[in-house]
Amino acid sequence: MDYTEKVLEYFRNPRNMGRIENADGIGKVGNPVCGDVMWIYIKVRKNEKGEEIIEDIKFETFGCAAAIATSSVVTELAKGKTLSEAEKISNKDVVEFLGGLPPIKKHCSLLAEEGLKAAINDYRKKNKK
Amino acid sequence: MENKTIYMDYNATTPTDPRVLEVMKDYFFEKFGNPSSIYEIARENKKEIEKARQKVAELIDAEPEEIFFTSGGTESDNWAIKGISFALKNKGNHIITSQIEHHAVLNTCKFLSKIGYEITYAPVDKYGVVDVDFIRKSIKKETILITIMHANNEIGTIQPIEEIAKIAKENGIYFHSDCVQTVGKIPVSVKKLGVDIISLSAHKFYGPKGVGAIYIKKGTKIETFIHGGEQEKGKRGGTYNVPGIIGLGKACEIAKEEMEEEAKKVKYLRDKLEKGIMENIPEIIINGHPENRLYNTLNLCVKYVEGESILLNLDFEKIYASSGSACTSGSLEPSHVLLAIGIPPEIAHGSLRFSLGKYNKEEDVDKVLDVLPKIVEKLRKMSPFWEKK
Ligand code: FES
């Protein structure tokens, strides 16, 4: 598999790996074909302006090297961002950050985007009223 | 081989034995002639080719006239299956194979099914042993060929070939066996097995890549597959791969002499590896038959983690193994072999294959046993399915 140095580096030393107990939102996504699964946990707080910010974010991933690297990158990109900013992070941003992914591995980055969005949605659902 | 690296992927390919390389060398320059020509270096080559044929025949207990050189296992499988199918197309159109064959067999069958042949895929049990009764019951008057591999490349399970061959014979059906993983590793006697055709490949037992052979029992009705010149009695066209064939012959000669010794040594290492892994890593499944399994093969599923991630981490440590898992083979689905033996897809994704060979040393096994538990622990910590204890 032709992974970039960056992918291998993030795979080797993933950032933000683990679980957040009492997370404010959890996104659980998976790809039925390859069987890979990604869970994203977020902790949200309001800043002085009253905006909701991702204070902490962690991931757990059962998957290939690309899935692990993209999980790690998406959590790094989202950390400290407001929810509306974080929602705009797309799989393209993740792939770009990693310097590309082999074609067959593009869907792994989609999983990262979806996982983050699912976590935010989960938070919103729980904090509706 | 570079001594810092640990190669445990011998079922994929083996390094060429230096003694094999040595005998091949001359045939690239000094003795480069085309054996089909008339002058002396050509005649010399022809003689050497016949000697190589003799050595292949001796290794598998056949007659030299029953050996034809090919480009390797895939070509031999194609020739066997298509050759019989085309030769017997007026007799029938039904082929029986198994769900766990190599893609060289499976995709050949798939092709034939598109042009009017009917294929039955026999299931296997949880050890990967093909259901012989199913084969017996699947036979009908249109059945022209049964093709079942001798040992499976992924899990190493050895099939009851003699029993199936007997059934084929009783019903007047040709029987082909893909012996790519067994010839050169374990004793293979075509007479004892009772087969009509087998495929073999040189690079699986320390010979060069790009050369192999097919055994076709005298009297078998089979169509030519590669049409061309008069080589191989007109049955297989194409200029002789002289160095390759000479190399194959030498590899057969060495295998015949040293196979038994090596088997003992390699089995010891494989068993040590297996035991060590079982003792040091929880929740491991060993795939394949407990006894009837290639002595060099260890296929296992590491629950809650994905095979590619383990392989890459091993690669960082310069340990080369393989995985039935998707990602390495360029497709995303888990191994068809593991699914056929009933491993659920999410577990099949965590598969790992170590296949050992004669250049492995005890310290290689120790090294793997040292690093693998750490790798698995690290990856499991990352996995949402792993309950932290
Ligand atoms: S192969 Fe599916 S997520 Fe990587």
Side-chain angles (χ1 to χ4, degrees):
Chain A
M1 199 58 68
D2 281 336
Y3 286 132
T4 62
E5 279 304 315
K6 204 114 184 220
V7 173
L8 292 176
E9 155 60 17
Y10 269 78
F11 166 67
R12 220 165 164 167
N13 303 304
R15 283 73 157 166
N16 304 316
M17 182 205 83
R19 176 179 299 189
I20 300 179
E21 303 300 336
N22 317 315
D24 296 322
I26 306 180
K28 299 182 176 182
V29 291
N31 179 307
V33 183
C34 66
D36 291 358
V37 172
M38 195 182 291
W39 291 8
I40 305 262
Y41 302 81
I42 54 171
K43 195 92 192 146
V44 179
R45 82 172 155 82
K46 290 215 167 85
N47 65 6
E48 317 83 59
K49 290 190 225 151
E51 294 165 326
E52 291 160 305
I53 288 192
I54 299 184
E55 182 179 30
D56 197 9
I57 177 163
K58 284 198 153 56
F59 77 88
E60 289 184 308
T61 293
F62 164 84
C64 67
I68 290 170
T70 56
S71 321
S72 176
V73 169
V74 87
T75 56
E76 265 204 332
L77 294 177
K79 200 164 181 171
K81 293 234 162 75
T82 64
L83 291 191
S84 44
E85 280 168 346
E87 262 172 332
K88 290 196 198 103
I89 298 172
S90 76
N91 75 313
K92 286 210 188 68
D93 301 327
V94 175
V95 175
E96 231 161 71
F97 186 95
L98 287 168
L101 280 175
I104 195 171
K105 295 291 181 175
K106 284 276 150 66
H107 74 277
C108 316
S109 63
L110 217 57
L111 219 51
E113 175 190 324
E114 286 165 3
L116 176 61
K117 289 200 167 124
I120 294 173
N121 281 341
D122 183 52
Y123 165 77
R124 292 227 160 100
K125 235 191 287 156
K126 285 180 183 152
N127 292 277
K128 231 181 194 153
K129 308 179 287 175
Chain B
M1 213 182 312
E2 227 185 291
N3 39 16
K4 281 196 309 237
T5 64
I6 296 179
Y7 182 80
M8 291 198 180
D9 202 12
Y10 281 82
N11 284 6
T13 191
T14 62
T16 306
D17 188 307
R19 292 169 288 178
V20 171
L21 188 60
E22 192 52 42
V23 297
M24 290 172 67
K25 273 196 324 216
D26 288 350
Y27 295 89
F28 286 100
F29 192 75
E30 270 163 59
K31 307 182 186 168
F32 69 93
N34 187 331
S36 307
S37 309
I38 197 96
Y39 33 77
E40 195 187 337
I41 51 170
R43 286 198 309 269
E44 274 300 310
N45 282 350
K46 188 85 188 86
K47 254 188 237 152
E48 288 305 317
I49 285 176
E50 292 318 312
K51 273 190 212 157
R53 198 187 308 279
Q54 177 72 34
K55 287 173 188 168
V56 178
E58 274 167 22
L59 181 65
I60 62 170
D61 193 16
E63 302 306 319
E65 314 83 82
E66 298 171 315
I67 306 294
F68 300 86
F69 294 113
T70 67
S71 63
T74 296
E75 184 191 324
S76 297
D77 285 342
N78 268 270
W79 183 359
I81 299 169
K82 290 176 187 162
I84 293 289
S85 300
F86 297 158
L88 300 187
K89 68 175 189 300
N90 292 325
K91 182 168 176 252
N93 67 341
H94 180 230
I95 298 167
I96 302 172
T97 183
S98 87
Q99 292 175 348
I100 65 165
E101 295 301 306
H102 189 274
H103 283 118
V105 168
L106 285 181
N107 285 337
T108 301
C109 288
K110 210 160 119 196
F111 161 74
L112 288 172
S113 74
K114 281 196 292 196
I115 57 166
Y117 289 84
E118 187 199 336
I119 318 290
T120 299
Y121 299 91
V124 295
D125 67 12
K126 64 175 176 178
Y127 297 126
V129 180
V130 65
D131 187 338
V132 178
D133 227 39
F134 180 96
I135 293 178
R136 187 184 289 115
K137 286 180 187 140
S138 302
I139 293 172
K140 42 187 181 179
K141 68 173 195 313
E142 291 83 14
T143 310
I144 47 174
L145 176 68
I146 300 175
T147 169
I148 302 287
M149 71 200 321
H150 194 186
N152 182 266
N153 48 313
E154 286 187 35
I155 58 175
T157 297
I158 298 170
Q159 302 296 345
I161 295 299
E162 291 176 45
E163 207 183 324
I164 306 167
K166 223 175 113 210
I167 295 170
K169 193 172 228 158
E170 282 163 12
N171 290 278
I173 299 165
Y174 282 138
F175 183 61
H176 163 248
S177 184
D178 174 351
C179 294
V180 164
Q181 289 295 341
T182 50
V183 170
K185 279 199 192 98
I186 60 175
V188 171
S189 156
V190 292
K191 294 198 181 99
K192 248 184 85 197
L193 291 176
V195 291
D196 299 299
I197 312 178
I198 73 167
S199 310
L200 65 96
S201 169
H203 76 101
K204 303 288 187 187
F205 59 105
Y206 313 102
K209 292 173 184 57
V211 63
I214 187 172
Y215 155 81
I216 302 174
K217 193 174 160 184
K218 237 176 282 163
T220 303
K221 277 205 199 78
I222 184 165
E223 203 49 75
T224 293
F225 179 59
I226 304 278
H227 295 93
E230 277 308 303
Q231 293 90 351
E232 300 296 81
K233 296 178 243 156
K235 285 208 161 87
R236 200 276 188 183
T239 300
Y240 284 102
N241 172 3
V242 184
I245 291 168
I246 306 286
L248 168 62
K250 185 71 185 174
C252 287
E253 179 191 319
I254 295 173
K256 197 167 164 52
E257 274 163 36
E258 300 176 3
M259 186 158 53
E260 217 183 300
E261 259 321 285
E262 244 168 65
K264 268 189 230 147
K265 189 192 124 195
V266 174
K267 182 177 187 325
Y268 165 76
L269 295 178
R270 193 278 314 263
D271 288 348
K272 179 171 177 181
L273 183 64
E274 177 169 335
K275 197 159 158 269
I277 289 176
M278 289 306 278
E279 281 170 2
N280 292 303
I281 307 177
E283 306 224 38
I284 294 281
I285 301 171
I286 303 284
N287 300 311
H289 197 279
E291 284 106 42
N292 292 329
R293 177 164 49 125
L294 289 175
Y295 57 79
N296 77 321
T297 305
L298 174 59
N299 186 304
L300 44 95
C301 288
V302 182
K303 283 196 194 169
Y304 316 113
V305 291
E306 213 265 345
E308 191 206 50
S309 298
I310 307 176
L311 287 184
L312 266 177
N313 273 297
L314 286 171
D315 182 22
F316 293 149
E317 305 281 344
K318 292 201 173 356
I319 298 168
Y320 305 142
S322 82
S323 161
S325 137
C327 311
T328 46
S329 59
S331 102
L332 296 174
E333 267 126 71
S335 139
H336 67 287
V337 177
L338 297 182
L339 295 181
I341 62 173
I343 304 278
E346 68 277 12
I347 295 178
H349 275 294
S351 81
L352 205 55
R353 181 188 71 185
F354 294 100
S355 47
L356 283 63
K358 67 179 177 186
Y359 300 117
N360 283 129
K361 302 199 180 69
E362 188 144 11
E363 61 242 44
D364 297 349
V365 171
D366 294 337
K367 173 86 199 262
V368 174
L369 288 176
D370 177 43
V371 302
L372 187 62
K374 294 177 201 155
I375 291 172
V376 171
E377 204 190 305
K378 175 180 161 193
L379 290 170
R380 277 181 172 169
K381 269 200 197 133
M382 241 182 256
S383 166
F385 301 137
W386 177 245
E387 259 324 304
K388 283 109 202 147
K389 283 163 192 154

